Amino acid sequence: MKIAILGKPFDDSVAPAIQALLHSLLARNAELYIVESFRVYLDTRLELPDTITTFRRGDSLRGMQFVLSIGGDGTLLDTVTYVGSLQIPILGIHTGRLGFLATITPDRIPQAIDALFKGHFVVEERSLIRVDTDPEVFGEVNFGLNEFSILKRDTSSMIVVHTYIDGEYLNSYWADGLIVSTPTGSTGYSLSCGGPVMLPQTNNFIISPVCPHNLNVRPLVVSDRSVISFEIEGRSNNFLLSLDSRSVPVDATVQIAVRRETFNARLIRLNHVNFLSTLRSKLNWGYDRRNPDGSLLP
């Protein structure tokens, strides 16, 4: 079995679990491929055999059965850009903070690896958002799992984002910015701006203004079969386009349209984990200080 691994630096307390993870995979005769930047970091922290191969961004991961993402949700978002249209199943191992996407905690790594090799898991299809711009802004990696954002670059004045759905005028948003989120991204930036939480299988986008000038402007849910296009204006004529964790400055001449990508991200979910349980855990739904043990209500 060929397995690719991407990751970010982690706390010292997590190092034994990561070392055990690598030993477990090698003991099962897995061929490991680690992204070069993470391999350099691991060499300073762990004992790695010389048989592990490294790769860089742009190298094809074709032939891999699985990809492991070690870090937080940001690491997993980055991992999706390495996999792209190959749609290799991704397992997120959580060594970060919140962990909506990377749900496997270090203490559950042995069970997760055992389930992976026994096939005791399901694969969730997660829709991606694609951004087309003229001139080209994001290059070949013009897709993301969470959201696309248009933001102002200075602190003094808001911007105006003229928005169209399938060529029909929707609204001119006077705000600090505008977010178009996938269902997966509904628990991210969009949520902090008052957007709804959506189940991952929902075939929609969420359009959420960032600090709108008019308080009667609310987030809007639209079909992800739609093409959403934008025109931007503002006093500074200098704006920021953000696609997940990647940001690029642009001016008002850029033409922008977003749509659903033709391929999906495929996330591995173990049988004991589901989106609803993650919501209750991460957002403390049902938590009531009146409970003697401080636990979540059923």
Side-chain angles (χ1 to χ4, degrees), residues 40-61:
V40 171
Y41 171 77
L42 291 178
D43 280 334
T44 66
R45 309 291 301 278
L46 307 178
E47 296 180 2
L48 301 179
D50 296 332
T51 56
I52 295 178
T53 305
T54 59
F55 64 93
R56 299 178 179 179
R57 179 176 292 281
D59 294 343
S60 176
L61 296 182

Side-chain angles (χ1 to χ4, degrees), residues 30-235:
E31 294 182 40
L32 301 186
Y33 297 75
I34 301 180
V35 68
E36 187 176 65
S37 57
F38 192 48
R39 170 64 190 265
V40 171
Y41 171 77
L42 291 178
D43 280 334
T44 66
R45 309 291 301 278
L46 307 178
E47 296 180 2
L48 301 179
D50 296 332
T51 56
I52 295 178
T53 305
T54 59
F55 64 93
R56 299 178 179 179
R57 179 176 292 281
D59 294 343
S60 176
L61 296 182
R62 189 176 300 277
M64 301 293 161
Q65 277 75 50
F66 301 104
V67 178
L68 304 187
S69 171
I70 301 175
D73 287 351
T75 308
L76 196 144
L77 294 177
D78 191 39
T79 300
V80 169
T81 66
Y82 278 81
V83 174
S85 60
L86 294 177
Q87 300 187 105
I88 304 167
I90 301 170
L91 177 67
I93 297 175
H94 174 55
T95 61
R97 292 178 294 224
L98 195 56
F100 266 104
L101 300 175
T103 57
I104 305 302
T105 54
D107 61 297
R108 298 197 68 92
I109 287 176
Q111 297 94 315
I113 298 305
D114 189 57
L116 204 64
F117 278 80
K118 291 181 177 179
H120 296 168
F121 60 87
V122 295
V123 176
E124 289 187 343
E125 301 282 344
R126 299 292 185 98
S127 62
L128 302 170
I129 188 169
R130 170 177 170 166
V131 183
D132 294 308
T133 60
D134 186 15
E136 186 58 62
V137 170
F138 294 105
E140 295 182 356
V141 189
N142 63 336
F143 58 89
L145 178 59
N146 264 8
E147 75 264 320
F148 167 72
S149 306
I150 302 171
L151 303 167
K152 68 176 187 178
R153 291 199 68 193
D154 57 62
T155 59
S156 59
S157 60
M158 66 184 68
I159 62 176
V160 184
V161 184
H162 306 291
T163 305
Y164 304 82
I165 298 178
D166 294 328
E168 295 187 8
Y169 175 67
L170 169 64
N171 188 30
S172 293
Y173 292 93
W174 294 68
D176 285 355
L178 194 68
I179 306 165
V180 182
S181 168
T182 66
T184 298
S186 69
T187 55
Y189 193 6
S190 176
L191 180 64
S192 68
C193 293
V197 174
M198 303 189 71
L199 298 181
Q201 296 77 21
T202 308
N203 297 318
N204 293 304
F205 288 134
I206 307 165
I207 302 175
S208 301
V210 180
C211 299
H213 179 66
N214 297 319
L215 295 182
N216 59 347
V217 177
R218 298 300 184 195
L220 179 68
V221 178
V222 302
S223 169
D224 65 7
R225 294 184 180 180
S226 305
V227 176
I228 309 172
S229 54
F230 311 94
E231 297 173 354
I232 321 170
E233 63 175 285
R235 293 179 183 175

Side-chain angles (χ1 to χ4, degrees), residues 3-39:
I3 298 177
I5 300 176
L6 295 95
K8 297 289 176 65
F10 44 77
D11 292 336
D12 291 341
S13 60
V14 181
I18 304 304
Q19 182 75 74
L21 163 67
L22 298 176
H23 282 163
S24 176
L25 292 173
L26 292 170
R28 296 170 186 262
N29 297 318
E31 294 182 40
L32 301 186
Y33 297 75
I34 301 180
V35 68
E36 187 176 65
S37 57
F38 192 48
R39 170 64 190 265

